[in-house]
Amino acid sequence: MANVENPAHGAPGPETPPKSGHHKQKQDKASARPPKVPLHQIYALPAPLRTFPLPSFYPNNPLSLFHVLWAWTSQVLSPPPAEPSVIHQGHWSPETRSVHIRDPKSIRALWEQGFFGKGNYSRSEPNWLKREQSRQGQGDKKVSELVTVQRREERKMMKWDRARKEQEAILKTRLEEAWVAPVGPKELLALPNSLRELHMSPLGGLTNGHTTRDGLSHTTATQTQIDSTRPGVSSTNIPSPLVPELSVNGDLIDETAKVPFPQLNGDYPHSPSETPTTKPVGTSPDIVASTLKRRKSVRFSPTVESTTFQLGDPPSPHIGSSTNGKVPNGDVNHGAQSLPPAVDGDPSEVLDVPVAPESPAASEIVDREHLQLTPEEAFYLVFGLGALSVIDPASGENMAAQNLFHLFRQLSYFPHKMASLRPDDPFLVQYAVYHHFRSLGWVPRPGIKFGVDWLLYIGGPVFSHAEFAVMVLPAYTDPYWKSQGQGPPKKSWQWLHSINRVQSHALKTLVIVYVDIPPPTQASDPAALLKQYKIREFVMKRWLSNRSRD
Amino acid sequence: MPFDDEDLPPASLNSASDDAAFDAEDGDKAQDFRLFTSLLAGPGKKSQASSKAIRRGEKDFESHGTRAQESVLESSRSAMHEVLSYTRQHQPRNALRGWYFPDRWADMPPESDSTADATTNKQSSDRSTKSGDPVQGLFARERVVALESDKGTMLSSMGRVITSAEKSTPGRLKTWLLPEEALFLIERGTLDLWWPARGIEEVFPADDGQETSQMNAGKLEDYELGVPLSLQAAYALFIGRDGERGKISLEKYQVYANLRRTGYRVLRATPLILQSPSSQTTRSLWQWLFSLLHNTSKPRYPEYGPLVRPGLYRSYVPVFEQLALIQRHKPSPLPPSEVPQPEDPFKIHFYVWKSTSSFMKTKPPPPDFQMAVVDARDSSIPTLEQLDNLLLSTPWDPPRNDEGKHGAGFVYKRLKHGWRNAILAIVDRGLISYMRFTEMAFGEELLYENINVRPKAKRGGRGGRGRGGGRGRGRGR
């Protein structure tokens, strides 16, 4: 659901989060601070609690003893408020099944101190306001989403460029091969169209190229034949001969006529860089319009290299603004003008930002984003750390931990169960895993985008990519479940392989977590209940027999 | 990601090729026959195909109509043709002939009994030295093919001479093959399998001398002794269900043959010692261990939280210690008497060695890999007990001791190495997918205690190394 990193193909090195992180600041101090704040200072606290360590004592520096003493006495005399000193306010939203945090300070605090929740307009970090400001040109705030979009764009262009170069190389070899001249008369006769030519015009039989070059009127007659026989020989981008006006354009005829017997003309350049397709050709509009439907080639602008398509070409990186679809009206001007944005697209256009109702005159943007917490996150903050209190929208009062616990367990069933909650209900199982990894210092975040239950970050998503992807499975090892005939859900090997394949593609390691479900007990308080759960982790990885041999 | 590029080939490390991960994952690629021909081309012969380096991740043979590509394709084709038309010659001196005597050793004790005896008689408990025991891994009952001679390099890791039988019994000093070994050799063209028309006494008469095979060949004509068998007949004789004596299931044979062809040494895994049902004691021991773990640090948890009591904290360690609520797994080596018996599909079937290590089939070194064979259609993914029992039956293999290192890379490495591991070969109608399962313990890595574990803190914090003030942990604690 929420992660800053870019899962695509696991480009090595987490570039995006750190870059953008340098610009993340507490909003109230945005202008006061120097622009570069190290990441680990912004995200110093692993939990929304503060600690008050005593300064260290250095034996070789006796003065430091006084430092320690001073800190100690000052803390004793005027003790800081008991932590957690700030209890954030959350609102339970029954429609979205999440807890909303609306106070901007709480949003920043919960994000920076433990990476809880997700901005409802953002992929992960709640930075809609910053994105919006940078979109409107207020300040040069970099947001990770924009950087990601930009990098994706660059990668797309890179791939597109690579594919284009490949196609060009193929075309080049193809043309080079087509340029080989037939040597002897026998070979010439064996060529597909020369025999017929021979019958038609005994004079110009061998030197077809000369004939077409000399007389333009003759060209129109023969060109049809040339072209109809061409597809087997070469399939370069040659405008269709269906257009009768083609003869008007000498340039085009030159090209088409030369391809079968190029060497006979003698004066034609041999260098492949000036091959017909890559040469910018100025053609009249109507030709372009009528030929487009037959061949996927657009040849009316100097940027013809990047917009000439073969049938086998990879699809355009800009599907929306592809020029191919727009031209057939014959409106060449329109088509030519639409080219530049296709080449260097504005990344901000691609980003789908929910646009707030704003008047163009008003420069002040109201932050309309809130932080949303999953039930597991909210319950951990309430039950584990005590740093959150959730308000029931119906009554407007604080919900106690047991009410929340009960509510989340009920809601995890579909349809909701009002009574007879089982010890293996989905919320309990998932929360046990969440609490387990949180209590060890990991940052678990929902992993639905990777087809798993949780992703584990070692310091938080701004520091590095998640290394582990966690899939949760219940286990029923207790004799009670055996007597009940209750077993774990039977999952096929194909299921496991598909999950593992996704993880290895995203350079993550699949961890299968079994939650050993205790038998039902009378205990209903979360502490006593959760203490009975046991967590077992297993790594799964494909073993490649031809890579592990030696 | 800098840490898990263990299996990425160096060629695909450039970030440009996004096929890298996918490609590295694809273990099984089509063979490049051009490499083969370069092997085959002797000094006198000239190979037409050039064996230039293959570019990974590109499918070359999608036609784009150029002659250059066609010539590449043609050369590859001709290379393949050359390889396939290579005349394989069987040297008469390397020819092996085997006789099918399925019931010769039927009265031998099954492997599990003999090992139990052996271990109780000799060293009692140490599992690592057990593999050195000559009786271990003999599987005399299962051996059904007797070889006339024991020459050939293939036999360095196959076949055993059954020495425990009484002297002057027929076939005593012969090399006897297991069904999968015999079938593999037949498929390979190394072995000729014969069906005996006479008894074993006549095929191997007076079986106490060295020169017997030569002598009996002189005495009786070949076809008076028996008839040669086809490959189909061999399959019919050797492939059976699990647990049938002298046969092997098709899945296991496919895994065996695949591993052998890939260049590994494979032996059947010796079963664990059958012990008196002492699982009750292990269970109580576990409970005792866990209770001990919890008794030592048993805080009273507030029933409805918050688990972290409000107060003044000098570091995050007590904060996270109060949060420890759910039972964590603590891996520990088990004495062999307490290893549970794994159930059938999820138990170790093969020991696998890399081809590089020196190898003696009578005294094999500790195996490099432990492999279980599972049918993809008949079984679903293992339950916790199945997986746990499978892994408990493999040797204790904790991560290397680099405790002092706190970087994220070391944490990942330790966790991924795990404490025990086994490989599951999942066979889906002849297609084999190998999966490595590792026992992990996240509870062994208390991240909150490590100061430097945040990956980027190293690079980003030039001046921020000494964290004072409101920072997490003071230096001196």
Side-chain angles (χ1 to χ4, degrees):
Chain A
M1 173 162 105
N3 55 327
V4 167
E5 65 175 356
N6 175 15
H9 314 308
E15 291 94 349
T16 325
K19 264 188 210 163
S20 59
H22 286 301
H23 297 265
K24 279 173 203 143
Q25 296 169 9
K26 296 203 171 159
Q27 293 192 332
D28 46 349
K29 297 179 187 171
S31 53
R33 285 216 181 167
K36 265 208 170 182
V37 181
L39 270 188
H40 62 91
Q41 278 181 25
I42 304 171
Y43 302 100
L45 307 186
L49 298 171
R50 280 181 302 162
T51 53
F52 299 91
L54 290 175
S56 44
F57 168 66
Y58 303 102
N60 55 355
N61 181 8
L63 278 183
S64 64
L65 180 64
F66 291 103
H67 197 192
V68 173
L69 280 178
W70 165 250
W72 184 76
T73 43
S74 67
Q75 281 179 14
V76 165
L77 291 180
S78 65
E83 286 296 323
S85 55
V86 184
I87 296 182
H88 304 287
Q89 286 291 328
H91 300 263
W92 167 244
S93 154
E95 296 83 12
T96 58
R97 303 264 173 90
S98 57
V99 173
H100 292 181
I101 312 285
R102 297 184 190 141
D103 177 29
K105 270 187 190 167
S106 295
I107 290 178
R108 286 316 298 173
L110 285 179
W111 173 256
E112 285 169 2
Q113 301 164 11
F115 303 97
F116 292 96
K118 136 188 203 301
N120 69 327
Y121 291 148
S122 312
R123 287 203 306 162
S124 164
E125 185 193 354
N127 56 4
W128 172 82
L129 184 65
K130 257 194 247 173
R131 270 201 329 268
E132 199 60 12
Q133 281 170 350
S134 83
R135 200 175 69 91
Q136 298 192 359
Q138 299 177 355
D140 56 342
K141 294 186 175 171
K142 260 194 186 170
V143 215
S144 62
E145 269 88 350
L146 288 184
V147 179
T148 311
V149 165
Q150 195 181 333
R151 278 176 56 218
R152 280 190 180 159
E153 206 63 23
E154 279 166 12
R155 200 178 304 137
K156 218 188 276 174
M157 286 315 291
M158 188 269 295
K159 280 187 197 169
W160 165 247
D161 205 48
R162 191 178 56 191
R164 184 179 58 83
K165 274 183 191 143
E166 247 168 50
Q167 292 293 326
E168 277 177 6
I170 291 170
L171 194 64
K172 195 174 144 189
T173 47
R174 202 183 288 157
L175 284 172
E176 271 172 1
E177 286 165 3
W179 282 85
V180 174
V183 191
K186 234 182 168 180
E187 285 82 359
L188 284 175
L189 285 175
L191 281 169
N193 55 352
S194 43
L195 195 63
R196 205 165 157 203
E197 283 293 316
L198 203 65
H199 291 306
M200 280 176 61
S201 59
L203 285 177
L206 290 183
T207 57
N208 187 15
H210 274 299
T211 334
T212 47
R213 204 175 153 71
D214 290 345
L216 278 179
S217 57
H218 187 70
T219 314
T220 31
T222 55
Q223 197 179 356
T224 326
Q225 299 155 7
I226 293 166
D227 226 74
S228 60
T229 52
R230 189 190 320 285
V233 183
S234 84
S235 55
T236 46
N237 278 318
I238 291 138
S240 159
L242 290 183
V243 200
E245 308 93 39
L246 205 62
S247 57
V248 183
N249 193 326
D251 230 3
L252 269 185
I253 293 158
D254 250 4
E255 254 177 55
T256 43
K258 269 173 198 162
V259 172
F261 309 102
Q263 294 229 312
L264 294 183
N265 294 328
D267 54 350
Y268 201 85
H270 282 227
S271 80
S273 63
E274 294 196 37
T275 48
T277 22
T278 50
K279 189 166 121 189
V281 185
T283 47
S284 58
D286 45 345
I287 292 178
V288 174
S290 49
T291 51
L292 256 177
K293 280 168 198 160
R294 293 269 308 190
R295 317 268 164 155
K296 296 198 171 181
S297 81
V298 190
R299 24 174 72 230
F300 43 79
S301 98
T303 54
V304 75
E305 284 188 36
S306 58
T307 49
T308 303
F309 298 96
Q310 295 274 332
L311 274 173
D313 270 356
S316 162
H318 305 274
I319 294 157
S321 56
S322 147
T323 49
N324 263 344
K326 288 186 184 172
V327 189
N329 300 333
D331 187 2
V332 177
N333 285 335
H334 168 66
Q337 279 166 358
S338 71
L339 269 179
V343 177
D344 48 353
D346 187 3
S348 64
E349 285 184 1
V350 190
L351 190 71
D352 51 342
V353 183
V355 181
E358 41 173 319
S359 61
S363 60
E364 199 61 35
I365 307 169
V366 185
D367 192 356
R368 292 175 187 278
E369 187 171 33
H370 62 252
L371 190 77
Q372 60 187 47
L373 300 174
T374 63
E376 287 87 3
E377 287 168 331
F379 191 67
Y380 176 76
L381 284 170
V382 171
F383 166 72
L385 299 174
L388 179 75
S389 69
V390 181
I391 292 173
D392 188 3
S395 62
E397 287 172 8
N398 271 353
M399 297 171 82
Q402 63 256 46
N403 293 349
L404 269 183
F405 189 55
H406 203 64
L407 177 70
F408 289 157
R409 287 181 70 182
Q410 282 177 344
L411 288 180
S412 66
Y413 290 98
F414 185 83
H416 307 164
K417 245 187 196 170
M418 284 307 149
S420 75
L421 296 174
R422 290 163 55 96
D424 60 343
D425 61 38
F427 173 74
L428 257 182
V429 173
Q430 295 291 341
Y431 181 72
V433 175
Y434 184 83
H435 189 104
H436 171 70
F437 286 117
R438 272 283 178 192
S439 70
L440 285 169
W442 294 84
V443 177
R445 303 203 33 95
I448 184 70
K449 285 182 183 175
F450 292 82
V452 291
D453 289 319
W454 301 101
L455 297 176
L456 293 186
Y457 293 87
I458 208 167
V462 299
F463 293 105
S464 68
H465 288 283
E467 178 60 37
F468 295 108
V470 170
M471 196 77 210
V472 179
L473 288 173
Y476 300 87
T477 59
D478 195 272
Y480 169 80
W481 296 113
K482 294 258 162 38
S483 68
Q484 295 285 308
Q486 170 80 43
K490 288 215 181 299
K491 302 280 190 183
S492 71
W493 286 105
Q494 282 82 358
W495 172 83
L496 191 62
H497 276 81
S498 58
I499 292 171
N500 187 50
R501 174 62 78 171
V502 172
Q503 303 316 321
S504 64
H505 206 149
L507 296 182
K508 309 216 177 310
T509 307
L510 179 59
V511 177
I512 296 182
V513 172
Y514 288 95
V515 181
D516 205 345
I517 311 281
T521 51
Q522 296 302 316
S524 65
D525 59 300
L529 204 55
L530 286 168
K531 220 161 37 177
Q532 301 169 355
Y533 285 76
K534 215 170 6 178
I535 303 268
R536 293 293 308 269
E537 307 102 346
F538 296 93
V539 187
M540 217 194 78
K541 195 168 195 296
R542 276 190 73 202
W543 183 77
L544 306 178
S545 61
N546 50 2
R547 297 264 171 80
S548 345
R549 184 168 35 223
D550 35 33
Chain B
M1 185 123 295
F3 302 117
D4 57 354
D5 49 5
E6 301 151 350
D7 62 350
L8 294 190
S12 62
L13 275 183
N14 53 341
S15 59
S17 83
D18 52 325
D19 308 314
F22 189 79
D23 199 35
E25 185 65 20
D26 255 336
D28 7 65
K29 295 180 70 74
Q31 288 165 339
D32 191 321
F33 282 95
R34 285 170 291 180
L35 289 179
F36 264 118
T37 37
S38 65
L39 289 180
L40 287 183
K45 274 194 286 181
K46 189 180 173 296
S47 161
Q48 303 115 329
S50 73
S51 62
K52 62 171 184 180
I54 329 153
R55 289 165 71 197
R56 294 182 64 93
E58 248 179 63
K59 286 195 177 162
D60 204 12
F61 301 129
E62 189 180 332
S63 170
H64 41 72
T66 59
R67 236 172 289 154
Q69 190 204 22
E70 248 164 52
S71 71
V72 170
L73 181 57
E74 188 51 44
S75 80
S76 190
R77 235 183 247 135
S78 71
M80 181 178 177
H81 184 258
E82 204 176 312
V83 167
L84 293 182
S85 64
Y86 173 75
T87 319
R88 292 183 64 203
Q89 290 158 343
H90 291 275
Q91 303 287 340
R93 58 187 166 85
N94 286 342
L96 283 176
R97 187 158 70 155
W99 294 86
Y100 181 63
F101 289 111
D103 297 325
R104 173 63 189 88
W105 305 109
D107 49 350
M108 295 289 276
E111 185 69 9
S112 46
D113 290 357
S114 67
T115 54
D117 289 346
T119 38
T120 45
N121 290 342
K122 294 176 182 176
Q123 328 95 332
S124 50
S125 58
D126 199 354
R127 288 185 68 224
S128 61
T129 55
K130 227 170 53 180
S131 57
D133 191 354
V135 187
Q136 190 83 22
L138 183 56
F139 295 99
R141 238 169 86 87
E142 307 279 329
R143 297 193 178 263
V144 288
V145 172
L147 294 183
E148 284 188 353
S149 71
D150 50 2
K151 286 173 291 193
T153 51
M154 295 303 293
L155 293 183
S156 66
S157 60
M158 320 169 102
R160 288 288 288 272
V161 176
I162 296 169
T163 48
S164 57
E166 297 106 43
K167 280 199 165 42
S168 80
T169 50
R172 190 179 91 94
L173 288 178
K174 296 291 164 196
T175 301
W176 286 77
L177 295 180
L178 287 169
E180 66 267 24
E181 295 170 344
L183 195 49
F184 176 69
L185 287 180
I186 295 168
E187 270 197 318
R188 210 179 159 274
T190 317
L191 176 70
D192 244 354
L193 186 66
W194 284 60
W195 176 273
R198 315 273 179 118
I200 189 167
E201 301 81 13
E202 286 174 80
V203 178
F204 299 124
D207 205 283
D208 46 1
Q210 304 286 48
E211 70 284 10
T212 44
S213 56
Q214 275 76 14
M215 283 169 60
N216 79 55
K219 267 184 244 159
L220 277 170
E221 281 298 312
D222 272 357
Y223 289 98
E224 288 177 63
L225 283 174
V227 288
L229 290 173
S230 65
L231 179 62
Q232 287 85 345
Y235 260 90
L237 289 176
F238 294 139
I239 300 295
R241 278 194 305 274
D242 266 327
E244 274 184 277
R245 190 185 58 79
K247 300 196 181 207
I248 189 169
S249 73
L250 185 59
E251 289 84 30
K252 282 180 196 149
Y253 173 68
Q254 280 163 338
V255 170
Y256 176 85
N258 177 269
L259 288 171
R260 287 304 313 260
R261 269 187 228 113
T262 335
Y264 291 91
R265 301 195 176 94
V266 188
L267 289 184
R268 275 196 192 185
T270 49
L272 290 170
I273 318 121
L274 286 175
Q275 74 245 349
S276 53
S278 60
S279 56
Q280 204 52 250
T281 61
T282 72
R283 182 142 200 100
S284 66
L285 184 91
W286 271 110
Q287 281 165 350
W288 177 75
L289 270 177
F290 271 111
S291 64
L292 194 74
L293 200 73
H294 279 271
N295 276 332
T296 50
S297 61
K298 194 167 196 174
R300 277 299 301 154
Y301 292 108
E303 287 180 350
Y304 290 102
L307 297 180
V308 180
R309 259 154 295 186
L312 174 70
Y313 291 98
R314 302 227 178 267
S315 90
Y316 279 103
V317 174
V319 172
F320 279 100
E321 273 168 358
Q322 289 181 61
L323 284 169
L325 178 64
I326 291 159
Q327 299 175 35
R328 296 164 182 168
H329 173 60
K330 189 158 182 59
S332 60
L334 275 188
S337 57
E338 291 174 7
V339 172
Q341 193 74 28
E343 300 162 34
D344 194 23
F346 296 102
K347 73 184 214 189
I348 301 297
H349 294 117
F350 290 122
Y351 291 152
V352 182
W353 287 266
K354 295 175 184 177
S355 56
T356 47
S357 52
S358 64
F359 191 77
M360 266 178 65
K361 65 183 174 187
T362 50
K363 274 191 180 178
D368 293 322
F369 307 105
Q370 316 238 345
M371 193 163 293
V373 181
V374 169
D375 185 13
R377 304 267 156 166
D378 285 356
S379 67
S380 53
I381 66 165
T383 63
L384 173 59
E385 289 151 303
Q386 287 168 331
L387 197 53
D388 199 26
N389 287 351
L390 172 76
L391 287 170
L392 280 178
S393 67
T394 63
W396 171 249
D397 180 21
R400 264 188 301 112
N401 194 15
D402 47 4
E403 278 303 321
K405 297 170 180 168
H406 287 318
F410 293 108
V411 173
Y412 293 153
K413 209 173 137 197
R414 281 197 294 265
L415 282 173
K416 283 192 210 165
H417 182 281
W419 278 258
R420 289 186 181 88
N421 64 76
I423 296 169
L424 252 71
I426 298 129
V427 185
D428 185 10
R429 293 172 300 177
L431 298 174
I432 306 169
S433 163
Y434 297 102
M435 287 274 186
R436 186 175 182 268
F437 282 82
T438 309
E439 175 183 351
M440 272 181 123
F442 274 90
E444 299 290 287
E445 295 284 343
L446 302 177
L447 277 192
Y448 56 85
E449 285 188 346
N450 296 347
I451 307 171
N452 298 332
V453 80
R454 288 188 175 187
K456 274 295 161 178
K458 270 180 208 156
R459 205 178 299 168
R462 279 181 297 275
R465 182 61 346 157
R467 306 164 176 183
R471 201 65 183 81
R473 272 162 58 91
R475 262 275 187 210
R477 297 190 63 99

